[in-house]
Amino acid sequence: MNSLYFAAIINSTFRYATPVLFAALGSLLCSRGNVFNVALEGQMLAAAFAAIVINFYTKNMVLSILAAICAGLLVSSVVALFQIKLKAHDMVVGTTINLFIQSATAFLMQIVFGSRGMVQGHGMVSLTKIDLNFLSWSPFLYRAFENLSILDYASYIIAIIVYFYLFKTVRGFHLRSVGIRYNAAKSLGINSQKMQMNVVLISGILCGLGGVSLCMGGVTVFVENMTAGRGFIAMGASSMAQAHPIMAIFSSLFFGATISLSKTLQKVINSYFTETFPYICTILAITIYGAISKAKKKK
Amino acid sequence: MTMKCNRKFVTVASPFFAILIGLTFGAAVMIAVGTNPFSAYRQMFSKSFFDIYYLGQTLVKSAPIMLSGVAAAIAWRAGYINLGMQGQMCVGGLCATLVALFFPVKSWWVTILCFCVGMTAGAIWALIPTYLDYKFDVSIIICTLMMNYATNFLTDYFVSAPIKDTAGDGLAMQSPQIAEALRFYRFSPKNAMNTSVFLSIAVVILIAIFLKKSKFGYESKMTGLNREFARYGGIKSTKIMFMTMALSGALCGFAACIEIFGARYRYVNAMFTSTSYSWTGLMAMLIADYNPIMTMVYSIFLAGLAIGGQALQRSVGLPMQISDIIQCSITLFVSIKLLFNFQKLKINKKPNHLERDEEVEHE
C-alpha cells in the first residue's frame, strides 16, 4: 500500500515535469544563443488555450497539438520581432507579452466558451496514453509508469535531440558561438540575428508542446492563468542545468517532484501552505546552486 | 538645439502614438467580437473621466497603481528588475491590517504606525531577493516572481482562517473591518473619493523631486546606466542596490496601505492579485519611461481604462479584460520607442559629445 502510494507520487512527478522540461529546453536554447526570453510563460499559456479551443471544436488530438505549436510559434515570432529585430528591451517585451496573453486568454475564454475561470468536459479528448503492459509483473513499476502520455515520453527524446543539435551538429556549434560572441560569429559569416530569431521560434514550438501537455496531459482542462509561473520555474531549471539539455531533464524532474509533493501533501497540511512549496523550492534550489557555483569560482 | 527639441518630441509624442495604436488595436478586437468600438470607447471614457461617481473610482484605483508603478520605476531605473511588487504589496497590506486590528488604541496616529509597519514589511520582502542576489547570484527576476506566488498563498491563508471575518454569512474570505478612526477621510458616503489620493499624489511628487535632486537619485540612475562605470566612479553599488530595493518595497507596502486604509478598510482574499495593481503600475511606468510624474499621469489613464472596461462589461457584456489587452498593446508599442531613441542616438553620435551628456543631465 505504502509503496504504491510512493509510486503514485513518482508517476505524477513525471507528469508535472513534462511542461517544465519542454519550457526549460526552450529556455536553454535561448540562453545558448544569448537571448533572454522571458515570454516562455505567455508562449505556454497561449499554446494551452489554442489546444483547448481546437480540441473543443474538433475533438482531435493531433489538430490540438498542431494548434498549440502554431500558437507558440505565433507568440514567439512576436517576441523575436520585437526583441531581436526591433531591439526592444527584453524584460519589457517578455513581461508585457506574458500579461497580454494572460488577459487575452481570459478575454477569449469568455467569448468562445462563455464561461469564466475554467473550461473542462465538453467531451474533449486528452493525449494518447501509453500503458507499459510488460511491467505488469511489478505493481510498483506499473503504477509509476501508468498512464503517461505520448508527450511525456517525447519530452525526453526531444531533450536528447536538443543535446545532439547543440553539441554534435554544425548549426548547434554556430548557435553557441553566436551566444558567446555575437559579433565574432557575425564576422565569420554566421547570420547571428537570424540564428537568434530562429532559436526563439524553436522555443515557441517547445513551449507549445509544453502547453499541450499542461492542459491535455491528465484531465483535459483549461484554467485561467494555468501556467502559474511554470515558465519562470523552467527558467530556473534551465539555469540550474547550466543550459545543458540532459541536466535539464534532472532539474525539471526535481521541480516536477516539488509540484507533485505539494499536491500530495494537501491531504495533510493546509493547502495554502503546500501550494507555496514549488515556488519556495525554486528559490531554495537556485540559491543553493548559486552558493555552490560561487564557491567553485573562488577555488 | 534641434536635436534637443527632437528628443523632447520623441519622449512626449511616442507614448501618445503608442496609445493611439493601442486603442486602434483594441477597436479591432472589439470589431472582431461584434461590438461597436466608437460607442464602446465613448461609454468607457465618458464614464471613467466625466461621471463624478466613476471619476472618484478611477482616482481611488489609480492611487495604488501609481505608487507601485513608481516603486517599480525606482528599481528598474537602477537596473534591478523588481517584479515582486505584488508580493510586497500583499505582505505590507497584511501586516498593516494586523496592526490596525490588534493594536489596542484606535486613534489617527495608529494609522501612521500601520503605514510604517506595512512599509517595513514591504521593504523586508524586497530585501530578501536582493540579499540572495548579492550573496548567491540568484536572479532577482525569478526570485521576486516566485515570491509573488508564494506570498499570495501565505497572505490568503490569514484571511481564510486566523483573522477571517466571522460576521455576516462568513462566506467571504476577508478580515474584519478596521476601526473607523483609522480610515482616510471620505468626502461623501456615495463616492469612493477620499484623502488618500492626495497623499499618494504628494508622495509621487516628493519622490520625483527626491530622485532628481538627491545624491541617491543620481547614484542609482548611474548604477542603472552602467554598473561598472558607476563603481569606477566611486559609487558604493552594494549600498545603492539595497537602498533602491528597500525603497521600492517600502513604496509597495505604502501602496497597499493606501488601498486598505483609503478604500477597502479590510484585507480581502487575493485583493492585490485579482486587481493586478502592480502590473498596471508596471505598464504605466514603462509607458512613462521611468519618469515618476508621467507614471502618475498614465496610471490615472490606465485606471480610467480599467474602470471603463468594468462598466462596459456590466452594460455591453464585453469582457473587462479588453482594458488589459489595450494596456499591454500600448506598452508593446512604447517599447519600440526605446529603439527609436536608440537609433537617434546612433545617428547623432558625431556631434559634440559634451552637449549630449548635458542633455542627459537635464532630463
Side-chain angles (χ1 to χ4, degrees), chain A residues 45-122:
Chain A
L45 192 59
F49 184 71
I52 284 291
V53 171
I54 297 300
N55 198 339
F56 178 73
Y57 285 114
T58 64
K59 314 268 187 290
N60 185 319
M61 183 193 76
V62 179
L63 285 180
S64 308
I65 296 178
L66 283 178
I69 291 176
C70 289
L73 261 177
L74 185 72
V75 178
S76 64
S77 59
V78 176
V79 176
L81 176 71
F82 276 77
Q83 201 169 314
I84 295 163
K85 194 89 185 173
L86 296 177
K87 298 206 169 50
H89 192 295
D90 46 12
M91 277 308 300
V92 178
V93 174
T95 319
T96 314
I97 285 185
N98 286 341
L99 289 174
F100 181 86
I101 298 294
Q102 203 174 314
S103 40
T105 47
F107 179 86
L108 288 173
M109 201 161 129
Q110 288 173 51
I111 299 288
V112 177
F113 300 99
S115 67
R116 282 192 207 173
M118 193 190 222
V119 186
Q120 63 174 345
H122 299 298

Side-chain angles (χ1 to χ4, degrees), chain A residues 86 96 99 116 272 294, chain B residues 135 173 283 313 321 328 339:
Chain A
L86 296 177
T96 314
L99 289 174
R116 282 192 207 173
Y272 282 103
K294 223 175 178 182
Chain B
K135 200 83 184 164
M173 301 239 282
M283 296 288 129
Q313 174 153 30
Q321 276 83 7
C328 289
L339 150 96

